[in-house]
Amino acid sequence: MARGYMGKILNVDLTTGHIAEEVLDEQLCQDYIGGYGIGAKLLYDRIPSGADPLGPDNILGLLTGPCTGTQALIGSRFVVVGKSPNTGTWGDANCGGQFGPHLKFAGFDGVLFSGISDKPVYLLVDDGQAELRDAAHLWGLNVSKLEDTLKEELGNDIQVASIGTAGEKLSLTAAVMNDKGRAAARSGLGAVMGSKRLKAVVVRGKQQVEIADPERLREQRRHYLREAPKADFFYSAREYGTGGDTAKSALCGDSPVKNWGGAGTVDFPQEMASRISDDSVIAYQEKPYHCWGCPIGCGGTMKLERGKYALQVEKDHTGHKPEYETLCMFGTDILNDNVESIIRFNEICNDYGLDTISVGATLAFATECYEEGLITQEDTGGIQLTWGNDEALVQMAELLAKREGFGALLADGVKVASEKLGPETEPYAIHVQGEEVPAHDPRYTPGLATTYILDATPGRHTQGGELISPPGLELREEDKYVYSGRAYDHYRQWAAMHVVNAAGLCMFGYLSFQVESLPEQLSAVTGWDFDLEEVFKAGMRVATIRHAFNLREGHNPLTRNVPGRLVGEPPLTEGNVRGVTVDYRTMLREFLEYIDWDTRTTVPSEGSLRKLGMEFLIEDMAGVQVPAV
């Protein structure tokens, strides 16, 4: 087996309680790298077409990559995979912290869960030994209390991935949590975990990840860390976390404002934006913290000891610093400049186990519906959902987390809420096929439109297509990002990000260091000889197998809804991206032509599959039935 892998995964049948070790195939690892690459191939083979995402045939996986738990640049990540109940297609969510490396130290590259337990359980993986344990006494606990309870029972040297009560109640905005504030948040996979009555996965171990060339890897790390301070993103992330550019983002048109219908320069100007950005957030930080092995340390614990949003202090836990997405989705998107309320909102989502992007977007949707008279105070139980009303919005977030009152209608996200409220709310429902869109606007970075629409997980900014760093505060005409039309550039970003995610690397390393670091690190870790083109080829394999999963479900991404506000239809009349309409149809066509997928069905050509060594898909893809556009 190549280095970088523990060489085996666990298969856990929750219906029968049977646990079996499976040796990883080396060719599978070389072809699909790890993480959701390997996960997509295994689940493509094992989940039947048409499976209910919340039923026993769905498989939930927690998987690492070869760089996870190594000295590679920010090798802290793991992924959660499964069929998404939000979209009915492929789903994955990425997370850092401590859990991923320690899953490998416990002896395994990943765990796959099938079936449904007849009672609440958790899996304990203890230095190579695995067992299911009763979780009846844990069911009903939220994330912070759950982790404290498990450490009291098992010791402080464990790491936990779990769901809060939102996952237990099958909220489609539910996340899988670790470190009390790190979230594998997207695709609604917390609901899948809850549907299986799996409360937590607990890992402990001291096994080592073998590296093919440790000295080469150490030298690469030293080299890139010497260069890192030259990268604006590296400095900003170390100083402020991901929220260092929140104000700039609001003003330049990158972040959503007023449920994607407003302009920062008009609706959320500098004096408001500065209250939820950089120094205004850091003022509440108790101390920074690092994910495992990270040289940046963008995380932080917060203290908020008094006032209406005071955090409850439990043991060594106070609160977590809100990240960029949270600051925008509960800040700029609802016109809220009260940073203390955002810190409180962040902790509600962390403790109940919720995706802050989805919950913030859902509250923005509900607020606009309220402002437009489509929701009344009688509907909301007396809560006035008006723009910037931080107290009301925090109160509604708590109801959503608990599935109580009007919050129960919102608990499954924008798409479900809009369908329940009626078609007149659809213009305000900003999602792509059930996945709420993150805080990066295609009108500012048009390449994101291709990613949001085409990737196997819709509405995702972590799959390529972003600018490397945002511009400064000077809002000049030339600051506007204009799509180059070069499909190869998008292909490079898309393919590279799939390898970053599959390898167990953090995208912040990719944003801080050169793309050339990818083949160097993979070669040093595994012993395989990667060059940049082979990295792109591997990333394209990962993209293709994830996409094939969706095609087999009869899903053509070109049929996905595209909210007009995302692409400037009609364009804004004010702000830095005024007048911009994204020609996403041309962009999609050009990109599909470049990667040799059919421009009407998105089915990969036989030639493209042969180039990737994916001949096993040729017959399957010839037989898929998808609507042509």
Side-chain angles (χ1 to χ4, degrees):
M1 187 68 196
R3 302 298 189 265
Y5 302 90
M6 308 311 289
K8 55 186 178 180
I9 61 174
L10 284 170
N11 290 299
V12 181
D13 186 332
L14 291 167
T15 300
T16 65
H18 180 67
I19 301 174
E21 293 185 9
E22 176 182 353
V23 176
L24 274 180
D25 178 76
E26 186 163 348
Q27 191 62 53
L28 173 72
C29 295
Q30 189 167 9
D31 287 345
Y32 298 96
I33 309 298
Y36 66 42
I38 287 176
K41 177 62 169 69
L42 293 175
L43 269 57
Y44 180 87
D45 292 340
R46 300 178 186 186
I47 296 179
S49 177
D52 179 357
L54 299 179
D57 289 336
N58 197 8
I59 295 174
L60 181 77
L62 284 72
L63 297 153
T64 63
C67 294
T68 307
T70 74
Q71 288 186 308
L73 294 164
I74 321 184
S76 62
R77 312 295 287 192
F78 75 101
V79 295
V80 183
V81 300
K83 187 176 182 181
S84 168
N86 292 359
T87 64
T89 54
W90 173 257
D92 57 56
N94 193 308
C95 195
Q98 304 293 322
F99 180 83
H102 284 84
L103 173 56
K104 290 179 78 170
F105 303 157
F108 298 93
D109 293 295
V111 189
L112 300 181
F113 295 94
S114 59
I116 293 178
S117 174
D118 60 1
K119 62 181 181 180
V121 294
Y122 73 91
L123 179 73
L124 173 63
V125 185
D126 197 346
D127 204 21
Q129 302 298 312
E131 64 173 310
L132 286 169
R133 292 190 172 186
D134 185 81
H137 66 300
L138 304 172
W139 202 254
L141 297 183
N142 277 333
V143 170
S144 182
K145 181 63 174 176
L146 169 72
E147 288 201 22
D148 289 343
T149 301
L150 285 169
K151 287 186 176 181
E152 288 170 1
E153 295 177 1
L154 302 172
N156 287 325
D157 57 345
I158 61 169
Q159 298 297 330
V160 181
S162 68
I163 54 171
T165 54
E168 294 176 7
K169 295 178 181 180
L170 309 187
S171 168
L172 299 189
T173 56
V176 178
M177 306 294 301
N178 62 281
D179 296 12
K180 297 183 178 180
R182 297 284 115 189
R186 312 252 61 200
S187 298
L189 295 176
V192 176
M193 193 163 168
S195 74
K196 294 185 176 300
R197 298 191 183 92
L198 176 65
K199 181 63 175 175
V201 180
V202 183
V203 298
R204 172 169 52 201
K206 296 183 179 180
Q207 299 185 36
Q208 298 295 312
V209 183
E210 292 188 27
I211 305 301
D213 193 337
E215 181 52 39
R216 180 184 177 189
L217 187 62
R218 283 192 292 269
E219 179 51 40
Q220 289 172 15
R221 185 180 177 92
R222 286 192 292 265
H223 166 72
Y224 284 110
L225 289 180
R226 284 194 297 267
E227 297 294 313
K230 300 175 185 177
D232 291 342
F233 181 86
F234 184 93
Y235 171 79
S236 177
R238 172 175 279 184
E239 188 75 10
Y240 296 114
T242 59
D245 286 319
T246 304
K248 295 178 185 178
S249 185
L251 297 174
C252 73
D254 183 29
S255 72
V257 174
K258 203 175 182 182
N259 196 30
W260 300 83
T265 52
V266 177
D267 299 295
F268 208 77
Q270 173 67 32
E271 60 269 25
M272 295 180 71
S274 63
R275 295 185 189 121
I276 64 167
S277 187
D278 47 85
D279 290 331
S280 296
V281 178
I282 294 300
Y284 295 89
Q285 180 169 286
E286 180 183 27
K287 60 182 179 180
Y289 71 82
H290 298 240
C291 293
W292 188 93
C294 177
I296 297 178
C298 68
T301 57
M302 310 293 276
K303 272 196 172 180
L304 183 53
E305 297 177 320
R306 56 182 60 88
K308 59 187 176 183
Y309 298 122
L311 299 176
Q312 181 180 358
V313 177
E314 297 181 359
K315 296 192 174 181
D316 61 346
H317 174 64
T318 50
H320 286 264
K321 179 168 57 186
E323 305 289 355
Y324 167 83
E325 297 290 337
T326 307
L327 291 163
C328 290
M329 301 313 291
F330 201 71
T332 64
D333 205 30
I334 58 173
L335 304 189
N336 173 31
D337 63 354
N338 185 314
V339 70
E340 293 187 357
S341 72
I342 300 175
I343 294 170
R344 174 61 185 149
F345 167 77
N346 194 43
E347 284 311 294
I348 292 170
C349 291
N350 286 342
D351 206 29
Y352 282 87
L354 289 162
D355 177 2
T356 62
I357 296 174
S358 292
V359 175
T362 303
L363 293 173
F365 159 76
T367 298
E368 186 158 15
C369 289
Y370 185 93
E371 292 272 11
E372 293 295 322
L374 302 176
I375 296 171
T376 68
Q377 199 167 336
E378 183 178 355
D379 295 324
T380 64
I383 299 174
Q384 297 181 10
L385 293 180
T386 54
W387 295 120
N389 189 344
D390 55 279
E391 288 190 53
L393 288 158
V394 167
Q395 187 179 355
M396 187 57 69
E398 291 177 330
L399 290 175
L400 183 155
K402 297 174 182 178
R403 269 197 187 273
E404 293 178 358
F406 191 71
L409 185 143
L410 302 177
D412 292 320
V414 167
K415 179 177 182 291
V416 174
S418 178
E419 290 171 347
K420 290 179 178 179
L421 290 169
E424 63 273 20
T425 67
E426 189 174 333
Y428 313 123
I430 311 302
H431 68 91
V432 180
Q433 202 188 327
E435 190 78 344
E436 291 78 16
V437 182
H440 295 283
D441 196 325
R443 291 170 294 193
Y444 178 72
T445 308
L448 282 173
T450 302
T451 307
Y452 287 170
I453 299 166
L454 191 61
D455 190 77
T457 53
R460 299 288 285 279
H461 67 295
T462 53
Q463 316 294 24
E466 285 193 270
L467 283 173
I468 295 301
S469 58
L473 282 172
E474 296 181 22
L475 304 180
R476 302 165 299 173
E477 189 69 22
E478 56 265 33
D479 282 330
K480 293 183 181 181
Y481 181 78
V482 180
Y483 182 66
S484 68
R486 293 187 297 175
Y488 179 62
D489 288 344
H490 192 90
Y491 161 76
R492 282 169 57 97
Q493 285 197 48
W494 201 45
M497 276 309 306
H498 284 311
V499 173
V500 168
N501 294 333
L505 294 166
C506 177
M507 71 176 290
F508 294 167
Y510 172 62
L511 294 177
S512 300
F513 312 110
Q514 297 96 325
V515 69
E516 287 76 16
S517 67
L518 291 179
E520 293 175 5
Q521 291 182 91
L522 283 170
S523 298
V525 169
T526 65
W528 293 320
D529 188 18
F530 284 92
D531 60 22
L532 199 53
E533 287 307 313
E534 181 53 40
V535 165
F536 295 148
K537 189 175 180 180
M540 197 61 207
R541 261 188 229 105
V542 173
T544 300
I545 192 64
R546 293 162 79 249
H547 182 60
F549 186 101
N550 293 353
L551 289 172
R552 193 177 59 181
E553 295 290 332
H555 177 69
N556 178 353
L558 299 182
T559 64
R560 289 172 175 167
N561 65 298
V562 181
R565 289 180 179 182
L566 281 186
V567 292
E569 294 179 350
L572 291 173
T573 58
E574 298 177 295
N576 193 44
V577 293
R578 62 191 177 278
V580 172
T581 297
V582 181
D583 187 9
Y584 69 92
R585 296 173 183 87
T586 297
M587 291 161 56
L588 286 168
R589 176 179 54 77
E590 291 178 349
F591 185 63
L592 289 168
E593 288 173 350
Y594 182 83
I595 62 176
D596 201 12
W597 290 3
D598 189 276
T599 57
R600 298 182 67 237
T601 65
T602 73
V603 174
S605 72
E606 180 176 333
S608 73
L609 295 174
R610 291 192 185 278
K611 286 179 182 178
L612 297 173
M614 301 179 76
E615 287 85 356
F616 69 92
L617 278 179
I618 292 173
E619 184 176 349
D620 286 1
M621 293 299 96
V624 296
Q625 299 294 319
V626 294
V629 175

